[in-house]
Amino acid sequence: MADGARADVFEELLSRGDLPNISKFIIDKGTFTKAVSVFPSTTGPAYAPFLLGQFPGRCNLPGIRWFDRELYAKRIFSLYRFRSYVGLESLLMNYDISKDSKTLFEIFPSTLNIMNELSRGAALKSYRTRFLRVYHKIKGHFNNRWDEVDIASRDVLLDSLKDNPQFAYIAFLGIDTYSHLNHPFHQSVIESYFRIDESVGILAKTLQDMGRLDETLLIITSDHGLTPTHSHFDSVSFMNRLGFKTFHYPKIFKYYRGADAANMISGNAMTHLYVKSPQGWEKKNTFDELTGFVDSLIERQEVDIVAGLDEKGRVKIKSERGGASAWLDKEGFLRYERFNCDPFGYNGIPSRMDKEEALKYSFNTNYPDALLQIIQLLESPRSGDLVVSAKQGFDLRAKYENPEHCSSHGALFREQILVPLGINIKIKKEFVRTVDLYPTILHLLGKPIPNGADGVSLVG
Ligand SMILES: [Zn+2]
């Protein structure tokens, strides 16, 4: 997992011959393509498609931060009223995901997990960086030596090969962290791509020496891209100026009780907004009931897309371009109804499509797969009344981010939601979602694909 790798940067480096090992041991034997990640395009929720085979809304992991309106209203002392995975609460991620989903760590008998929190089912000995991760994240936060963290991950990987793991998941964090600190094209970021390429080379040569290279499926991909950020919208203060008492991180004790709104940011280019309804927190507001608030958001130069549910549970979407409604009908077809102009600027997208058609028609637009991604996210009971996606160049958090985010992700637009995919087998499918890799891995390793997987195998 080349966390934060952009599809276009990866492709450019590949075409220049700057990723020689990835070319030799993966792409030349298989396929390079681009895949659509998920909304929110942020680590944690965007790992769920790979590890659980489900969209984040469907395994109830709607963001890096979320708020449970019912528990907030009902219970004072519960660990599940709200969450931020930035910090120690990340240790609760495995308890937050829905029990119906099965992780690849639960399916395969011997596994290896490196620098990834979404690890339910990973045995103690297979999650080699369970504590090292906290140490490295704290150290990296202060000395910005994420290169050392990625090399430490490489060393753990190489040392673990003797245990013959059947499934191994390694997250390299340098691209994402150096992009946040600088920008996605900075030298330190590009060197992080090179370092991953080196790791792939050493891994492949080691597997070759062990005589196991040809029987090993190698996948290199990402969970999101990043874009440079020149301005931060203080969306919390904006809500407070509108009169809300807004619950938000890190000030969780300010409105431990008594908040009438919440703002839970991911990436930081996306946020979930929750508003207490006149009937109390238990009842979710419809999009139309919040129309004034929606319009005041759309008027903001930083805000791109706002979406919520109508009284029928259908998604309503609005941007300064236009408005529309989208839903999945009983036959599982995606229905799309524009009220005036298309909110995404889509041109000629049909009003009734199956999920693969929805991907095909939107893949080469500025908002690949946005319809299904918004629909899946708003299925989570922990999602906001409204979900907001920022415009390129902006994010939605102006305070408490130290160091400052010079690049962001989490949003719906192409540069943040499209990721590279390299795999050492030929794949047939033309348009790919990251959620397709879960059934593909199970298929190729001869395991049954659990019901409820959101993806389709790339090898038919
Ligand atoms: Zn990030």
Side-chain angles (χ1 to χ4, degrees), residues 39-55:
F39 185 47
S41 50
T42 192
T43 304
Y47 279 14
F50 301 107
L51 296 168
L52 287 126
Q54 288 191 308
F55 295 128

PDB file of all heavy atoms in Angstrom, residues 39-55:
ATOM      1  N   PHE A  39     -15.135   7.105  -1.254  1.00  0.00           N
ATOM      2  CA  PHE A  39     -15.436   8.370  -0.573  1.00  0.00           C
ATOM      3  C   PHE A  39     -15.789   8.034   0.864  1.00  0.00           C
ATOM      4  O   PHE A  39     -16.635   7.172   1.078  1.00  0.00           O
ATOM      5  CB  PHE A  39     -16.618   9.059  -1.273  1.00  0.00           C
ATOM      6  CG  PHE A  39     -16.950  10.430  -0.724  1.00  0.00           C
ATOM      7  CD1 PHE A  39     -15.960  11.373  -0.494  1.00  0.00           C
ATOM      8  CD2 PHE A  39     -18.269  10.788  -0.497  1.00  0.00           C
ATOM      9  CE1 PHE A  39     -16.272  12.648  -0.024  1.00  0.00           C
ATOM     10  CE2 PHE A  39     -18.592  12.063  -0.017  1.00  0.00           C
ATOM     11  CZ  PHE A  39     -17.579  12.991   0.215  1.00  0.00           C
ATOM     12  N   PRO A  40     -15.092   8.614   1.846  1.00  0.00           N
ATOM     13  CA  PRO A  40     -13.997   9.569   1.774  1.00  0.00           C
ATOM     14  C   PRO A  40     -12.689   8.918   1.333  1.00  0.00           C
ATOM     15  O   PRO A  40     -12.367   7.816   1.759  1.00  0.00           O
ATOM     16  CB  PRO A  40     -13.870  10.112   3.190  1.00  0.00           C
ATOM     17  CG  PRO A  40     -14.426   9.056   4.071  1.00  0.00           C
ATOM     18  CD  PRO A  40     -15.445   8.304   3.264  1.00  0.00           C
ATOM     19  N   SER A  41     -11.961   9.654   0.467  1.00  0.00           N
ATOM     20  CA  SER A  41     -10.670   9.150  -0.031  1.00  0.00           C
ATOM     21  C   SER A  41      -9.611   9.433   1.028  1.00  0.00           C
ATOM     22  O   SER A  41      -8.776  10.338   0.907  1.00  0.00           O
ATOM     23  CB  SER A  41     -10.340   9.819  -1.366  1.00  0.00           C
ATOM     24  OG  SER A  41     -10.476  11.237  -1.263  1.00  0.00           O
ATOM     25  N   THR A  42      -9.696   8.648   2.122  1.00  0.00           N
ATOM     26  CA  THR A  42      -8.758   8.865   3.219  1.00  0.00           C
ATOM     27  C   THR A  42      -8.436   7.550   3.896  1.00  0.00           C
ATOM     28  O   THR A  42      -9.273   6.644   3.928  1.00  0.00           O
ATOM     29  CB  THR A  42      -9.336   9.887   4.224  1.00  0.00           C
ATOM     30  OG1 THR A  42      -8.317  10.284   5.114  1.00  0.00           O
ATOM     31  CG2 THR A  42     -10.509   9.342   4.958  1.00  0.00           C
ATOM     32  N   THR A  43      -7.216   7.450   4.401  1.00  0.00           N
ATOM     33  CA  THR A  43      -6.723   6.224   5.021  1.00  0.00           C
ATOM     34  C   THR A  43      -7.643   5.758   6.142  1.00  0.00           C
ATOM     35  O   THR A  43      -8.221   6.577   6.832  1.00  0.00           O
ATOM     36  CB  THR A  43      -5.306   6.460   5.555  1.00  0.00           C
ATOM     37  OG1 THR A  43      -4.507   6.930   4.451  1.00  0.00           O
ATOM     38  CG2 THR A  43      -4.697   5.212   6.150  1.00  0.00           C
ATOM     39  N   GLY A  44      -7.781   4.485   6.296  1.00  0.00           N
ATOM     40  CA  GLY A  44      -8.753   3.905   7.228  1.00  0.00           C
ATOM     41  C   GLY A  44      -9.971   3.497   6.408  1.00  0.00           C
ATOM     42  O   GLY A  44     -10.010   2.371   5.898  1.00  0.00           O
ATOM     43  N   PRO A  45     -10.928   4.421   6.176  1.00  0.00           N
ATOM     44  CA  PRO A  45     -12.069   4.072   5.319  1.00  0.00           C
ATOM     45  C   PRO A  45     -11.641   3.554   3.950  1.00  0.00           C
ATOM     46  O   PRO A  45     -12.240   2.612   3.425  1.00  0.00           O
ATOM     47  CB  PRO A  45     -12.807   5.401   5.191  1.00  0.00           C
ATOM     48  CG  PRO A  45     -12.491   6.135   6.445  1.00  0.00           C
ATOM     49  CD  PRO A  45     -11.095   5.738   6.799  1.00  0.00           C
ATOM     50  N   ALA A  46     -10.550   4.111   3.391  1.00  0.00           N
ATOM     51  CA  ALA A  46     -10.121   3.693   2.045  1.00  0.00           C
ATOM     52  C   ALA A  46      -9.252   2.440   2.062  1.00  0.00           C
ATOM     53  O   ALA A  46      -8.842   1.964   1.000  1.00  0.00           O
ATOM     54  CB  ALA A  46      -9.392   4.840   1.354  1.00  0.00           C
ATOM     55  N   TYR A  47      -8.980   1.906   3.249  1.00  0.00           N
ATOM     56  CA  TYR A  47      -8.334   0.595   3.360  1.00  0.00           C
ATOM     57  C   TYR A  47      -9.401  -0.504   3.381  1.00  0.00           C
ATOM     58  O   TYR A  47      -9.145  -1.662   3.041  1.00  0.00           O
ATOM     59  CB  TYR A  47      -7.501   0.494   4.636  1.00  0.00           C
ATOM     60  CG  TYR A  47      -6.104   1.110   4.600  1.00  0.00           C
ATOM     61  CD1 TYR A  47      -5.714   1.975   3.592  1.00  0.00           C
ATOM     62  CD2 TYR A  47      -5.182   0.822   5.603  1.00  0.00           C
ATOM     63  CE1 TYR A  47      -4.438   2.536   3.582  1.00  0.00           C
ATOM     64  CE2 TYR A  47      -3.899   1.383   5.612  1.00  0.00           C
ATOM     65  CZ  TYR A  47      -3.550   2.226   4.581  1.00  0.00           C
ATOM     66  OH  TYR A  47      -2.279   2.784   4.602  1.00  0.00           O
ATOM     67  N   ALA A  48     -10.630  -0.141   3.778  1.00  0.00           N
ATOM     68  CA  ALA A  48     -11.701  -1.148   3.932  1.00  0.00           C
ATOM     69  C   ALA A  48     -11.977  -1.933   2.647  1.00  0.00           C
ATOM     70  O   ALA A  48     -12.151  -3.153   2.702  1.00  0.00           O
ATOM     71  CB  ALA A  48     -12.982  -0.462   4.424  1.00  0.00           C
ATOM     72  N   PRO A  49     -11.983  -1.300   1.472  1.00  0.00           N
ATOM     73  CA  PRO A  49     -12.244  -2.084   0.261  1.00  0.00           C
ATOM     74  C   PRO A  49     -11.234  -3.208   0.051  1.00  0.00           C
ATOM     75  O   PRO A  49     -11.606  -4.305  -0.362  1.00  0.00           O
ATOM     76  CB  PRO A  49     -12.127  -1.054  -0.866  1.00  0.00           C
ATOM     77  CG  PRO A  49     -12.295   0.274  -0.217  1.00  0.00           C
ATOM     78  CD  PRO A  49     -11.859   0.128   1.192  1.00  0.00           C
ATOM     79  N   PHE A  50      -9.960  -2.946   0.370  1.00  0.00           N
ATOM     80  CA  PHE A  50      -8.916  -3.956   0.177  1.00  0.00           C
ATOM     81  C   PHE A  50      -9.048  -5.083   1.202  1.00  0.00           C
ATOM     82  O   PHE A  50      -8.946  -6.257   0.870  1.00  0.00           O
ATOM     83  CB  PHE A  50      -7.532  -3.323   0.332  1.00  0.00           C
ATOM     84  CG  PHE A  50      -7.232  -2.206  -0.620  1.00  0.00           C
ATOM     85  CD1 PHE A  50      -7.212  -0.889  -0.180  1.00  0.00           C
ATOM     86  CD2 PHE A  50      -6.969  -2.463  -1.945  1.00  0.00           C
ATOM     87  CE1 PHE A  50      -6.939   0.150  -1.057  1.00  0.00           C
ATOM     88  CE2 PHE A  50      -6.688  -1.429  -2.833  1.00  0.00           C
ATOM     89  CZ  PHE A  50      -6.690  -0.119  -2.382  1.00  0.00           C
ATOM     90  N   LEU A  51      -9.276  -4.704   2.453  1.00  0.00           N
ATOM     91  CA  LEU A  51      -9.171  -5.665   3.558  1.00  0.00           C
ATOM     92  C   LEU A  51     -10.499  -6.297   3.959  1.00  0.00           C
ATOM     93  O   LEU A  51     -10.517  -7.402   4.485  1.00  0.00           O
ATOM     94  CB  LEU A  51      -8.517  -4.982   4.759  1.00  0.00           C
ATOM     95  CG  LEU A  51      -7.076  -4.546   4.515  1.00  0.00           C
ATOM     96  CD1 LEU A  51      -6.588  -3.624   5.614  1.00  0.00           C
ATOM     97  CD2 LEU A  51      -6.164  -5.768   4.387  1.00  0.00           C
ATOM     98  N   LEU A  52     -11.608  -5.575   3.678  1.00  0.00           N
ATOM     99  CA  LEU A  52     -12.929  -6.127   4.041  1.00  0.00           C
ATOM    100  C   LEU A  52     -13.779  -6.389   2.802  1.00  0.00           C
ATOM    101  O   LEU A  52     -14.860  -6.945   2.894  1.00  0.00           O
ATOM    102  CB  LEU A  52     -13.660  -5.148   4.952  1.00  0.00           C
ATOM    103  CG  LEU A  52     -13.134  -5.045   6.377  1.00  0.00           C
ATOM    104  CD1 LEU A  52     -12.828  -3.605   6.712  1.00  0.00           C
ATOM    105  CD2 LEU A  52     -14.155  -5.613   7.335  1.00  0.00           C
ATOM    106  N   GLY A  53     -13.295  -5.891   1.634  1.00  0.00           N
ATOM    107  CA  GLY A  53     -14.073  -6.099   0.417  1.00  0.00           C
ATOM    108  C   GLY A  53     -15.354  -5.299   0.390  1.00  0.00           C
ATOM    109  O   GLY A  53     -16.267  -5.603  -0.378  1.00  0.00           O
ATOM    110  N   GLN A  54     -15.452  -4.281   1.217  1.00  0.00           N
ATOM    111  CA  GLN A  54     -16.671  -3.476   1.265  1.00  0.00           C
ATOM    112  C   GLN A  54     -16.356  -1.990   1.220  1.00  0.00           C
ATOM    113  O   GLN A  54     -15.275  -1.563   1.631  1.00  0.00           O
ATOM    114  CB  GLN A  54     -17.445  -3.775   2.536  1.00  0.00           C
ATOM    115  CG  GLN A  54     -18.117  -5.142   2.525  1.00  0.00           C
ATOM    116  CD  GLN A  54     -19.087  -5.273   3.675  1.00  0.00           C
ATOM    117  OE1 GLN A  54     -18.705  -5.027   4.808  1.00  0.00           O
ATOM    118  NE2 GLN A  54     -20.342  -5.605   3.376  1.00  0.00           N
ATOM    119  N   PHE A  55     -17.317  -1.221   0.740  1.00  0.00           N
ATOM    120  CA  PHE A  55     -17.214   0.219   0.793  1.00  0.00           C
ATOM    121  C   PHE A  55     -17.294   0.658   2.257  1.00  0.00           C
ATOM    122  O   PHE A  55     -17.981   0.013   3.065  1.00  0.00           O
ATOM    123  CB  PHE A  55     -18.333   0.870  -0.013  1.00  0.00           C
ATOM    124  CG  PHE A  55     -18.274   0.604  -1.498  1.00  0.00           C
ATOM    125  CD1 PHE A  55     -19.385   0.118  -2.180  1.00  0.00           C
ATOM    126  CD2 PHE A  55     -17.122   0.844  -2.215  1.00  0.00           C
ATOM    127  CE1 PHE A  55     -19.341  -0.120  -3.552  1.00  0.00           C
ATOM    128  CE2 PHE A  55     -17.061   0.619  -3.589  1.00  0.00           C
ATOM    129  CZ  PHE A  55     -18.174   0.132  -4.253  1.00  0.00           C
TER     130      PHE A  55
END
